[in-house]
Every structure is written in C-alpha cells, then in structure tokens.
C-alpha cells in the first residue's frame, strides 16, 4: 500500500542559488520524507533540488511546476526549466512571474496551493508574490535566511527564521496537522 507524502514548497530566487540556506532546507525536507515542490528552474530552485535529490534515505519526490516560454508560445517550457534535479516536471501554460507573480497567468498559484507548508528563501519580486499568495490562501509560510536583509521585501506578517532548527520545528508541526 502506498503512502501519500506531504509536499513542502520552497520558493526563492530564480537567479542566485543562496546555497548557504537552500542546501540545508533541501536536506531537511528530504530527511522528513516529504516531497519537495519548487518552480523547477535555476537559482534557489536548483540548489534546494540538488540537496534534496542527493539525500539518501526515505525521501519523497522533487517536483517542479514549469512555466511556459511566453503567452505566444505556451507549448515550450521557459528556457532553463526544468533544472536537472527535477524528478517530476509539471509543465504549465502559465508564463507570468516576477512582478506579475500574483496574476492568474502565473504558476505561483499552483506552487502555493499544492504545498502543505512553504519555506521562502531569499528572492525578488516573484518570491515576494508567492509569499503574498501563501498569506492570501492561508498556507503556512515562513521566511528563512541567515541574512535578514535578504527577506526584508516579504510581507511583515511572515515569520522570519535564521536557525534551521526553527524551520524544522515549523515543518514538523505542519506535517502533523
């Protein structure tokens, strides 16, 4: 009989890996036996996925929600997507991101609504929009960074954590709900 694993969403920069915080989060989620869900691209998405998939043991699956290239080309994935660590790429017809991350044509809604809990790592406007959507949809969310300035743009209602043990406690509590 198969077990349904919970899915933890990790959101963050699409350009910078921020490996100092992304790698420990990927390893933590793998150690919890959960699935990892990201936007499936470069930056934090690649870093957390790499750490997650390299973890041995009883881990879940690395899932990437993939944007399409543009509104004019909805058949082709955006360049650089999925990254090489995504084990299940879910291609979408949704091209918008960044400043348009809360728009109905953004995959961010899927990312947030498909996650039992969300860990927001350093990122820009796209990550901030995912955090705003998590608040809108009532999804549990925390921001994690060793440098508080890197998560300063996120809504103030989101708890900021700088210790991986606090992130683990947050995730364990969400997984028991």
């Amino acid at each position: 009989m198969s077990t349904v694993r919970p899915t933890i969403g990790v959101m963050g920069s699409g350009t910078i890996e921020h490996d100092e915080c992304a790698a420990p989060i990927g390893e933590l989620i793998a150690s919890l036996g959960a699935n990892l869900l990201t936007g499936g691209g470069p930056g934090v998405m690649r870093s957390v996925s790499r750490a997650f998939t390299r973890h041995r043991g009883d881990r879940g699956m690395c899932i990437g929600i993939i944007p399409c290239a543009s509104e004019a080309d909805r058949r082709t994935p955006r360049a650089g997507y999925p990254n090489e660590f995504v084990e299940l790429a879910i291609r979408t017809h949704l091209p918008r991101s960044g400043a348009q991350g809360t728009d109905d044509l953004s995959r961010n809604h899927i990312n947030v609504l498909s996650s039992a809990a969300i860990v927001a790592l350093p990122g820009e406007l796209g990550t901030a929009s995912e955090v705003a959507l998590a608040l809108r949809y009532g999804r549990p969310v925390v921001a994690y960074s060793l440098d508080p300035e890197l998560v300063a743009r996120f809504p103030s209602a989101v708890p900021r954590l700088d210790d991986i043990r606090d992130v683990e406690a947050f995730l364990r509590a969400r997984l028991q709900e």
Side-chain angles (χ1 to χ4, degrees):
M1 183 171 175
S2 66
T3 301
V4 176
R5 295 176 186 268
T7 299
I8 305 297
V10 176
M11 316 308 172
S13 174
T15 56
I16 302 169
E17 288 199 2
H18 293 287
D19 203 49
E20 69 285 351
C21 57
I25 293 295
E27 293 167 3
L28 171 61
I29 294 169
S31 74
L32 295 173
N35 295 314
L36 168 66
L37 182 142
T38 72
V44 162
M45 297 172 278
R46 176 180 288 121
S47 179
V48 73
S49 297
R50 179 176 51 240
F52 177 86
T53 58
R54 289 182 176 168
H55 189 278
R56 295 188 181 266
D58 186 31
R59 68 167 172 82
M61 182 178 294
C62 183
I63 304 164
I65 308 297
I66 311 304
C68 65
S70 67
E71 287 187 50
D73 181 4
R74 294 192 177 194
R75 292 188 213 175
T76 307
R78 185 175 294 163
Y81 291 76
N83 69 58
E84 65 272 29
F85 301 102
V86 170
E87 296 169 313
L88 175 60
I90 299 174
R91 292 175 53 173
T92 74
H93 65 292
L94 304 167
R96 297 198 180 152
S97 60
Q100 298 176 315
T102 59
D103 188 273
D104 285 344
L105 289 177
S106 168
R107 75 191 192 288
N108 291 353
H109 297 270
I110 297 169
N111 295 351
V112 169
L113 289 169
S114 299
S115 300
I118 296 163
V119 178
L121 300 178
E124 299 300 323
L125 293 175
T127 308
S129 68
E130 287 169 314
V131 171
L133 287 172
L135 293 172
R136 179 190 305 175
Y137 292 126
R139 288 293 196 247
V141 58
V142 295
Y144 173 67
S145 177
L146 304 176
D147 179 353
E149 289 299 314
L150 296 177
V151 293
R153 73 172 53 237
F154 299 162
S156 61
V158 176
R160 269 82 165 149
L161 305 176
D162 61 5
D163 187 320
I164 193 73
R165 294 171 295 192
D166 294 334
V167 177
E168 180 176 3
F170 165 79
L171 291 176
R172 284 190 184 281
R174 301 297 81 71
L175 295 177
Q176 292 177 3
E177 293 177 348

